[in-house]
PDB file of all heavy atoms in Angstrom:
ATOM      1  N   GLU A 508      67.549  66.014 131.911  1.00 95.00           N
ATOM      2  CA  GLU A 508      66.472  66.617 131.120  1.00 95.00           C
ATOM      3  C   GLU A 508      67.000  67.360 129.899  1.00 95.00           C
ATOM      4  O   GLU A 508      66.275  67.546 128.922  1.00 95.00           O
ATOM      5  CB  GLU A 508      65.619  67.561 131.974  1.00 95.00           C
ATOM      6  CG  GLU A 508      66.277  68.871 132.312  1.00 95.00           C
ATOM      7  CD  GLU A 508      65.302  69.902 132.898  1.00 95.00           C
ATOM      8  OE1 GLU A 508      65.043  69.856 134.111  1.00 95.00           O
ATOM      9  OE2 GLU A 508      64.814  70.736 132.129  1.00 95.00           O
ATOM     10  N   MET A 509      68.266  67.773 129.925  1.00 94.00           N
ATOM     11  CA  MET A 509      68.811  68.548 128.819  1.00 94.00           C
ATOM     12  C   MET A 509      69.391  67.676 127.703  1.00 94.00           C
ATOM     13  O   MET A 509      69.745  68.199 126.648  1.00 94.00           O
ATOM     14  CB  MET A 509      69.887  69.521 129.329  1.00 94.00           C
ATOM     15  CG  MET A 509      71.125  68.872 129.907  1.00 94.00           C
ATOM     16  SD  MET A 509      72.277  70.068 130.661  1.00 94.00           S
ATOM     17  CE  MET A 509      72.932  70.875 129.196  1.00 94.00           C
ATOM     18  N   PHE A 510      69.468  66.365 127.903  1.00 95.00           N
ATOM     19  CA  PHE A 510      70.097  65.480 126.930  1.00 95.00           C
ATOM     20  C   PHE A 510      69.075  64.716 126.099  1.00 95.00           C
ATOM     21  O   PHE A 510      68.058  64.266 126.623  1.00 95.00           O
ATOM     22  CB  PHE A 510      70.978  64.444 127.642  1.00 95.00           C
ATOM     23  CG  PHE A 510      72.202  65.019 128.297  1.00 95.00           C
ATOM     24  CD1 PHE A 510      72.182  65.378 129.637  1.00 95.00           C
ATOM     25  CD2 PHE A 510      73.370  65.196 127.579  1.00 95.00           C
ATOM     26  CE1 PHE A 510      73.300  65.905 130.247  1.00 95.00           C
ATOM     27  CE2 PHE A 510      74.492  65.721 128.176  1.00 95.00           C
ATOM     28  CZ  PHE A 510      74.466  66.082 129.513  1.00 95.00           C
ATOM     29  N   PRO A 511      69.345  64.542 124.801  1.00 92.00           N
ATOM     30  CA  PRO A 511      68.529  63.607 124.018  1.00 92.00           C
ATOM     31  C   PRO A 511      68.658  62.197 124.597  1.00 92.00           C
ATOM     32  O   PRO A 511      69.682  61.851 125.195  1.00 92.00           O
ATOM     33  CB  PRO A 511      69.150  63.684 122.614  1.00 92.00           C
ATOM     34  CG  PRO A 511      69.901  64.982 122.586  1.00 92.00           C
ATOM     35  CD  PRO A 511      70.378  65.205 123.986  1.00 92.00           C
ATOM     36  N   ASP A 512      67.633  61.399 124.412  1.00 92.00           N
ATOM     37  CA  ASP A 512      67.647  60.037 124.945  1.00 92.00           C
ATOM     38  C   ASP A 512      68.877  59.274 124.450  1.00 92.00           C
ATOM     39  O   ASP A 512      69.257  59.356 123.272  1.00 92.00           O
ATOM     40  CB  ASP A 512      66.388  59.283 124.525  1.00 92.00           C
ATOM     41  CG  ASP A 512      65.141  59.807 125.217  1.00 92.00           C
ATOM     42  OD1 ASP A 512      65.287  60.525 126.225  1.00 92.00           O
ATOM     43  OD2 ASP A 512      64.031  59.511 124.733  1.00 92.00           O
ATOM     44  N   GLY A 513      69.483  58.551 125.376  1.00 94.00           N
ATOM     45  CA  GLY A 513      70.585  57.670 125.011  1.00 94.00           C
ATOM     46  C   GLY A 513      71.928  58.331 124.839  1.00 94.00           C
ATOM     47  O   GLY A 513      72.876  57.703 124.361  1.00 94.00           O
ATOM     48  N   THR A 514      72.040  59.607 125.225  1.00 95.00           N
ATOM     49  CA  THR A 514      73.310  60.317 125.026  1.00 95.00           C
ATOM     50  C   THR A 514      74.051  60.605 126.329  1.00 95.00           C
ATOM     51  O   THR A 514      75.170  61.091 126.306  1.00 95.00           O
ATOM     52  CB  THR A 514      73.075  61.650 124.285  1.00 95.00           C
ATOM     53  OG1 THR A 514      72.268  62.499 125.107  1.00 95.00           O
ATOM     54  CG2 THR A 514      72.371  61.409 122.957  1.00 95.00           C
ATOM     55  N   ALA A 515      73.408  60.344 127.444  1.00 97.00           N
ATOM     56  CA  ALA A 515      74.024  60.591 128.748  1.00 97.00           C
ATOM     57  C   ALA A 515      73.458  59.594 129.740  1.00 97.00           C
ATOM     58  O   ALA A 515      72.389  59.009 129.520  1.00 97.00           O
ATOM     59  CB  ALA A 515      73.760  62.020 129.222  1.00 97.00           C
ATOM     60  N   THR A 516      74.162  59.425 130.832  1.00 97.00           N
ATOM     61  CA  THR A 516      73.702  58.519 131.868  1.00 97.00           C
ATOM     62  C   THR A 516      73.973  59.131 133.227  1.00 97.00           C
ATOM     63  O   THR A 516      74.910  59.925 133.385  1.00 97.00           O
ATOM     64  CB  THR A 516      74.405  57.143 131.752  1.00 97.00           C
ATOM     65  OG1 THR A 516      73.854  56.241 132.709  1.00 97.00           O
ATOM     66  CG2 THR A 516      75.902  57.267 131.987  1.00 97.00           C
ATOM     67  N   ALA A 517      73.150  58.794 134.184  1.00 98.00           N
ATOM     68  CA  ALA A 517      73.357  59.265 135.548  1.00 98.00           C
ATOM     69  C   ALA A 517      74.259  58.282 136.286  1.00 98.00           C
ATOM     70  O   ALA A 517      74.244  57.069 136.022  1.00 98.00           O
ATOM     71  CB  ALA A 517      72.025  59.406 136.275  1.00 98.00           C
ATOM     72  N   ALA A 518      75.039  58.813 137.211  1.00 98.00           N
ATOM     73  CA  ALA A 518      75.835  57.954 138.078  1.00 98.00           C
ATOM     74  C   ALA A 518      74.903  57.037 138.863  1.00 98.00           C
ATOM     75  O   ALA A 518      73.713  57.330 139.023  1.00 98.00           O
ATOM     76  CB  ALA A 518      76.678  58.809 139.020  1.00 98.00           C
ATOM     77  N   PHE A 519      75.448  55.941 139.362  1.00 98.00           N
ATOM     78  CA  PHE A 519      74.623  54.974 140.092  1.00 98.00           C
ATOM     79  C   PHE A 519      74.227  55.479 141.470  1.00 98.00           C
ATOM     80  O   PHE A 519      73.441  54.840 142.165  1.00 98.00           O
ATOM     81  CB  PHE A 519      75.369  53.649 140.207  1.00 98.00           C
ATOM     82  CG  PHE A 519      75.590  52.958 138.879  1.00 98.00           C
ATOM     83  CD1 PHE A 519      76.332  51.797 138.813  1.00 98.00           C
ATOM     84  CD2 PHE A 519      75.074  53.469 137.703  1.00 98.00           C
ATOM     85  CE1 PHE A 519      76.549  51.155 137.598  1.00 98.00           C
ATOM     86  CE2 PHE A 519      75.274  52.843 136.488  1.00 98.00           C
ATOM     87  CZ  PHE A 519      76.015  51.680 136.436  1.00 98.00           C
ATOM     88  N   GLY A 520      74.750  56.610 141.858  1.00 97.00           N
ATOM     89  CA  GLY A 520      74.413  57.259 143.119  1.00 97.00           C
ATOM     90  C   GLY A 520      75.140  58.583 143.170  1.00 97.00           C
ATOM     91  O   GLY A 520      76.082  58.815 142.410  1.00 97.00           O
ATOM     92  N   PRO A 521      74.743  59.513 144.061  1.00 97.00           N
ATOM     93  CA  PRO A 521      75.356  60.841 144.090  1.00 97.00           C
ATOM     94  C   PRO A 521      76.766  60.876 144.670  1.00 97.00           C
ATOM     95  O   PRO A 521      77.458  61.876 144.523  1.00 97.00           O
ATOM     96  CB  PRO A 521      74.397  61.649 144.952  1.00 97.00           C
ATOM     97  CG  PRO A 521      73.764  60.643 145.854  1.00 97.00           C
ATOM     98  CD  PRO A 521      73.646  59.378 145.048  1.00 97.00           C
ATOM     99  N   ASP A 522      77.187  59.796 145.331  1.00 98.00           N
ATOM    100  CA  ASP A 522      78.502  59.790 145.961  1.00 98.00           C
ATOM    101  C   ASP A 522      79.579  59.312 144.994  1.00 98.00           C
ATOM    102  O   ASP A 522      79.302  58.975 143.830  1.00 98.00           O
ATOM    103  CB  ASP A 522      78.487  58.921 147.222  1.00 98.00           C
ATOM    104  CG  ASP A 522      78.038  57.480 146.935  1.00 98.00           C
ATOM    105  OD1 ASP A 522      77.818  57.134 145.751  1.00 98.00           O
ATOM    106  OD2 ASP A 522      77.909  56.711 147.903  1.00 98.00           O
ATOM    107  N   ALA A 523      80.819  59.273 145.472  1.00 98.00           N
ATOM    108  CA  ALA A 523      81.942  58.865 144.629  1.00 98.00           C
ATOM    109  C   ALA A 523      81.795  57.426 144.151  1.00 98.00           C
ATOM    110  O   ALA A 523      82.123  57.106 142.998  1.00 98.00           O
ATOM    111  CB  ALA A 523      83.251  59.044 145.397  1.00 98.00           C
ATOM    112  N   ALA A 524      81.294  56.557 145.011  1.00 98.00           N
ATOM    113  CA  ALA A 524      81.131  55.155 144.632  1.00 98.00           C
ATOM    114  C   ALA A 524      80.159  55.010 143.467  1.00 98.00           C
ATOM    115  O   ALA A 524      80.382  54.201 142.546  1.00 98.00           O
ATOM    116  CB  ALA A 524      80.652  54.343 145.840  1.00 98.00           C
ATOM    117  N   GLY A 525      79.081  55.799 143.481  1.00 98.00           N
ATOM    118  CA  GLY A 525      78.111  55.741 142.398  1.00 98.00           C
ATOM    119  C   GLY A 525      78.685  56.222 141.082  1.00 98.00           C
ATOM    120  O   GLY A 525      78.394  55.662 140.012  1.00 98.00           O
ATOM    121  N   LEU A 526      79.509  57.244 141.129  1.00 98.00           N
ATOM    122  CA  LEU A 526      80.147  57.760 139.919  1.00 98.00           C
ATOM    123  C   LEU A 526      81.189  56.777 139.405  1.00 98.00           C
ATOM    124  O   LEU A 526      81.275  56.519 138.190  1.00 98.00           O
ATOM    125  CB  LEU A 526      80.786  59.124 140.215  1.00 98.00           C
ATOM    126  CG  LEU A 526      81.477  59.839 139.054  1.00 98.00           C
ATOM    127  CD1 LEU A 526      80.553  59.992 137.854  1.00 98.00           C
ATOM    128  CD2 LEU A 526      81.995  61.209 139.506  1.00 98.00           C
ATOM    129  N   ALA A 527      81.979  56.211 140.309  1.00 98.00           N
ATOM    130  CA  ALA A 527      82.987  55.227 139.909  1.00 98.00           C
ATOM    131  C   ALA A 527      82.333  54.028 139.232  1.00 98.00           C
ATOM    132  O   ALA A 527      82.823  53.524 138.209  1.00 98.00           O
ATOM    133  CB  ALA A 527      83.793  54.780 141.130  1.00 98.00           C
ATOM    134  N   ALA A 528      81.218  53.557 139.792  1.00 98.00           N
ATOM    135  CA  ALA A 528      80.537  52.392 139.227  1.00 98.00           C
ATOM    136  C   ALA A 528      80.017  52.685 137.819  1.00 98.00           C
ATOM    137  O   ALA A 528      80.082  51.827 136.932  1.00 98.00           O
ATOM    138  CB  ALA A 528      79.390  51.968 140.142  1.00 98.00           C
ATOM    139  N   ALA A 529      79.494  53.900 137.601  1.00 98.00           N
ATOM    140  CA  ALA A 529      78.995  54.261 136.273  1.00 98.00           C
ATOM    141  C   ALA A 529      80.124  54.299 135.249  1.00 98.00           C
ATOM    142  O   ALA A 529      79.967  53.845 134.106  1.00 98.00           O
ATOM    143  CB  ALA A 529      78.284  55.608 136.336  1.00 98.00           C
ATOM    144  N   LEU A 530      81.265  54.828 135.636  1.00 98.00           N
ATOM    145  CA  LEU A 530      82.407  54.893 134.722  1.00 98.00           C
ATOM    146  C   LEU A 530      82.973  53.494 134.447  1.00 98.00           C
ATOM    147  O   LEU A 530      83.331  53.173 133.315  1.00 98.00           O
ATOM    148  CB  LEU A 530      83.483  55.815 135.300  1.00 98.00           C
ATOM    149  CG  LEU A 530      83.099  57.295 135.350  1.00 98.00           C
ATOM    150  CD1 LEU A 530      84.109  58.098 136.181  1.00 98.00           C
ATOM    151  CD2 LEU A 530      82.994  57.889 133.949  1.00 98.00           C
ATOM    152  N   ASP A 531      83.023  52.668 135.469  1.00 98.00           N
ATOM    153  CA  ASP A 531      83.496  51.295 135.272  1.00 98.00           C
ATOM    154  C   ASP A 531      82.566  50.521 134.335  1.00 98.00           C
ATOM    155  O   ASP A 531      83.014  49.672 133.549  1.00 98.00           O
ATOM    156  CB  ASP A 531      83.596  50.568 136.620  1.00 98.00           C
ATOM    157  CG  ASP A 531      84.923  50.830 137.329  1.00 98.00           C
ATOM    158  OD1 ASP A 531      85.939  51.054 136.634  1.00 98.00           O
ATOM    159  OD2 ASP A 531      84.942  50.799 138.575  1.00 98.00           O
ATOM    160  N   SER A 532      81.277  50.826 134.403  1.00 97.00           N
ATOM    161  CA  SER A 532      80.331  50.116 133.539  1.00 97.00           C
ATOM    162  C   SER A 532      80.561  50.456 132.067  1.00 97.00           C
ATOM    163  O   SER A 532      80.368  49.613 131.186  1.00 97.00           O
ATOM    164  CB  SER A 532      78.894  50.433 133.940  1.00 97.00           C
ATOM    165  OG  SER A 532      78.521  51.752 133.546  1.00 97.00           O
ATOM    166  N   LEU A 533      80.964  51.705 131.784  1.00 97.00           N
ATOM    167  CA  LEU A 533      81.285  52.073 130.406  1.00 97.00           C
ATOM    168  C   LEU A 533      82.521  51.319 129.921  1.00 97.00           C
ATOM    169  O   LEU A 533      82.579  50.874 128.769  1.00 97.00           O
ATOM    170  CB  LEU A 533      81.520  53.575 130.298  1.00 97.00           C
ATOM    171  CG  LEU A 533      80.307  54.491 130.460  1.00 97.00           C
ATOM    172  CD1 LEU A 533      80.725  55.948 130.344  1.00 97.00           C
ATOM    173  CD2 LEU A 533      79.239  54.172 129.436  1.00 97.00           C
ATOM    174  N   CYS A 534      83.485  51.175 130.800  1.00 96.00           N
ATOM    175  CA  CYS A 534      84.698  50.443 130.422  1.00 96.00           C
ATOM    176  C   CYS A 534      84.399  48.959 130.196  1.00 96.00           C
ATOM    177  O   CYS A 534      84.999  48.320 129.317  1.00 96.00           O
ATOM    178  CB  CYS A 534      85.761  50.593 131.508  1.00 96.00           C
ATOM    179  SG  CYS A 534      86.376  52.275 131.699  1.00 96.00           S
ATOM    180  N   ALA A 535      83.482  48.415 130.969  1.00 95.00           N
ATOM    181  CA  ALA A 535      83.139  46.999 130.837  1.00 95.00           C
ATOM    182  C   ALA A 535      82.351  46.724 129.556  1.00 95.00           C
ATOM    183  O   ALA A 535      82.376  45.599 129.039  1.00 95.00           O
ATOM    184  CB  ALA A 535      82.337  46.546 132.051  1.00 95.00           C
ATOM    185  N   ASP A 536      81.668  47.742 129.056  1.00 94.00           N
ATOM    186  CA  ASP A 536      80.873  47.594 127.838  1.00 94.00           C
ATOM    187  C   ASP A 536      81.158  48.781 126.928  1.00 94.00           C
ATOM    188  O   ASP A 536      80.334  49.693 126.787  1.00 94.00           O
ATOM    189  CB  ASP A 536      79.382  47.521 128.198  1.00 94.00           C
ATOM    190  CG  ASP A 536      78.501  47.243 126.990  1.00 94.00           C
ATOM    191  OD1 ASP A 536      79.051  46.881 125.930  1.00 94.00           O
ATOM    192  OD2 ASP A 536      77.268  47.410 127.102  1.00 94.00           O
ATOM    193  N   PRO A 537      82.345  48.824 126.299  1.00 95.00           N
ATOM    194  CA  PRO A 537      82.777  50.018 125.551  1.00 95.00           C
ATOM    195  C   PRO A 537      81.864  50.399 124.393  1.00 95.00           C
ATOM    196  O   PRO A 537      81.893  51.556 123.955  1.00 95.00           O
ATOM    197  CB  PRO A 537      84.176  49.638 125.067  1.00 95.00           C
ATOM    198  CG  PRO A 537      84.243  48.152 125.148  1.00 95.00           C
ATOM    199  CD  PRO A 537      83.351  47.762 126.289  1.00 95.00           C
TER     200      PRO A 537
END
Side-chain angles (χ1 to χ4, degrees):
E508 74 168 83
M509 65 186 288
F510 292 94
D512 290 344
T514 64
T516 185
F519 294 175
D522 57 4
L526 181 54
L530 292 169
D531 275 330
S532 74
L533 290 179
C534 294
D536 185 12

